[in-house]
Amino acid sequence: DFASLILEAQDILDGNLFLKDWNLTGVTFLFSEIPFYLLGTAIFGVSTKAYLAASSAMLFFLFLLGYLLLENRKKPLTLLLYFGFAAFPSAFLLYSARAHVAIFGLCFAAILCLKKLTDKQRSFSKPGLLYTLYFLIIALGTASDTFILPVLAIPVILYCLRMLFSNKIQSVSRMWWILGLTLAGILAGKLIETGYIAIGHAALNSRTASVSFTPFNEIPETILLFFELLLRLFNGSPDGLQVFSLDTIAAGLHIQVMIWGIGMVIRSMKKFIKGDQEDPVSILLSLGILCLSVF
């Protein structure tokens, strides 16, 4: 809830750096959302404006990192398409973007590091710097938000294992380094989270303890709910719209974009199965979408 994040940020600004006596709900958001809420609260205090400033800064951070991941981003058509798809989030996204947004930006930053490390055309002059940055992102992200596991960590592990069993990989040692740093980063992140909680004596509820398998008789309903939320995410839900209206036409166009996106995920998964290393960004993003959907 954004109200609690604003209050946490204000308490940190008042000197309670380790959130002593706080009851944290599942995740700490220490190095993901909290820095943005610190910025908003430092400027506007405990107010709705602080939330709007933090949310806007997080969305801009996400938009910028997504832009840096683009291939041929200097081409006008690429820029136009990206701006058209990414710069106008759906009403559903704006409503739900109070938390778990900055962690996606951190995931994009980590994938940008991996993109440079696995680029066969251009060899990065200081790979040690990229390895260190990638490790820090994994560690600080894990200490902040468990969403990093399905969105980034698990996809990277699956990708590395697939590439190691592929005959198309050029640098086996580099892939082992990425795999090792991912696992080490997860461990370091959990240690950072545990240490932070221990110092402040804050209570952290266990998110994993509340996760359970869906009963078989509820699976059809769950699948329908998933697609309903997916339609809302793309502003393509026809719920309540007149059959013959401009809103219905717009929703139909949004559904086409959604289908196009699903097709891109399917194509990326085919490349992943074949052990193709040419486009790691699309493969990792697609694996992240699948893992997050499952979890």
Side-chain angles (χ1 to χ4, degrees):
D1 188 272
F2 73 88
S4 64
L5 288 171
I6 291 175
L7 293 175
E8 286 177 37
Q10 185 61 57
D11 205 16
I12 291 173
L13 290 172
D14 289 339
N16 188 8
L17 298 180
F18 295 96
L19 296 175
K20 180 178 174 57
D21 298 327
W22 271 82
N23 185 19
L24 304 176
T25 55
V27 292
T28 64
F29 297 116
L30 276 177
F31 306 101
S32 53
E33 263 69 12
I34 288 296
F36 293 96
Y37 279 94
L38 284 172
L39 175 64
T41 306
I43 298 173
F44 297 106
V46 178
S47 65
T48 304
K49 290 182 179 179
Y51 161 68
L52 293 175
S55 181
S56 299
M58 284 190 293
L59 287 174
F60 177 77
F61 175 66
L62 186 65
F63 179 82
L64 176 63
L65 268 297
Y67 167 75
L68 295 176
L69 283 175
L70 290 176
E71 290 288 346
N72 303 317
R73 58 177 177 265
K74 294 183 179 180
K75 290 186 176 181
L77 180 59
T78 301
L79 188 60
L80 179 64
L81 287 173
Y82 178 70
F83 188 80
F85 287 135
F88 301 102
S90 67
F92 177 79
L93 179 61
L94 286 174
Y95 172 76
S96 61
R98 58 190 179 274
H100 303 298
V101 175
I103 196 66
F104 285 91
L106 289 177
C107 290
F108 282 3
I111 293 175
L112 184 61
C113 293
L114 296 179
K115 178 184 177 183
K116 292 182 177 296
L117 284 169
T118 57
D119 193 339
K120 292 186 291 187
Q121 272 74 38
R122 290 171 290 182
S123 178
F124 195 74
S125 58
K126 296 181 179 179
L129 180 62
L130 283 176
Y131 284 131
T132 303
L133 181 59
Y134 173 75
F135 170 78
L136 288 174
I137 293 172
I138 295 288
L140 298 180
T142 302
S144 305
D145 193 341
T146 52
F147 267 32
I148 196 173
L149 298 179
V151 175
L152 177 67
I154 295 175
V156 170
I157 292 170
L158 293 175
Y159 177 77
C160 288
L161 291 175
R162 179 66 188 95
M163 291 304 110
L164 287 170
F165 286 102
S166 171
N167 295 324
K168 300 178 182 180
I169 189 172
Q170 286 189 335
S171 178
V172 174
S173 62
R174 182 158 295 187
M175 205 57 62
W176 277 115
W177 266 104
I178 294 171
L179 178 60
L181 287 173
T182 302
L183 296 174
I186 295 171
L187 177 60
K190 296 307 294 183
L191 291 175
I192 293 171
E193 179 190 74
T194 302
Y196 182 87
I197 296 300
I199 293 173
H201 300 287
L204 180 64
N205 298 334
S206 176
R207 178 178 296 272
T208 55
S210 63
V211 177
S212 58
F213 287 105
T214 302
F216 284 109
N217 63 320
E218 296 180 11
I219 289 177
E221 181 182 349
T222 303
I223 293 174
L224 287 175
L225 178 61
F226 172 78
F227 281 105
E228 179 186 347
L229 294 176
L230 194 61
L231 285 171
R232 289 185 182 181
L233 181 62
F234 281 87
N235 275 346
S237 176
D239 187 23
L241 298 180
Q242 294 182 353
V243 176
F244 301 103
S245 67
L246 292 177
D247 289 336
T248 302
I249 294 174
L253 293 174
H254 292 157
I255 291 174
Q256 291 296 318
V257 173
M258 184 186 75
I259 294 173
W260 179 54
I262 292 173
M264 292 179 65
V265 172
I266 293 173
R267 286 194 295 271
S268 296
M269 288 301 93
K270 288 181 178 179
K271 291 181 179 180
F272 170 70
I273 293 171
K274 293 178 180 178
D276 190 349
Q277 197 190 2
E278 294 299 323
D279 188 9
V281 173
S282 295
I283 291 175
L284 288 173
L285 290 177
S286 297
L287 282 170
I289 290 171
L290 289 177
C291 290
L292 187 59
S293 299
V294 170
F295 285 97

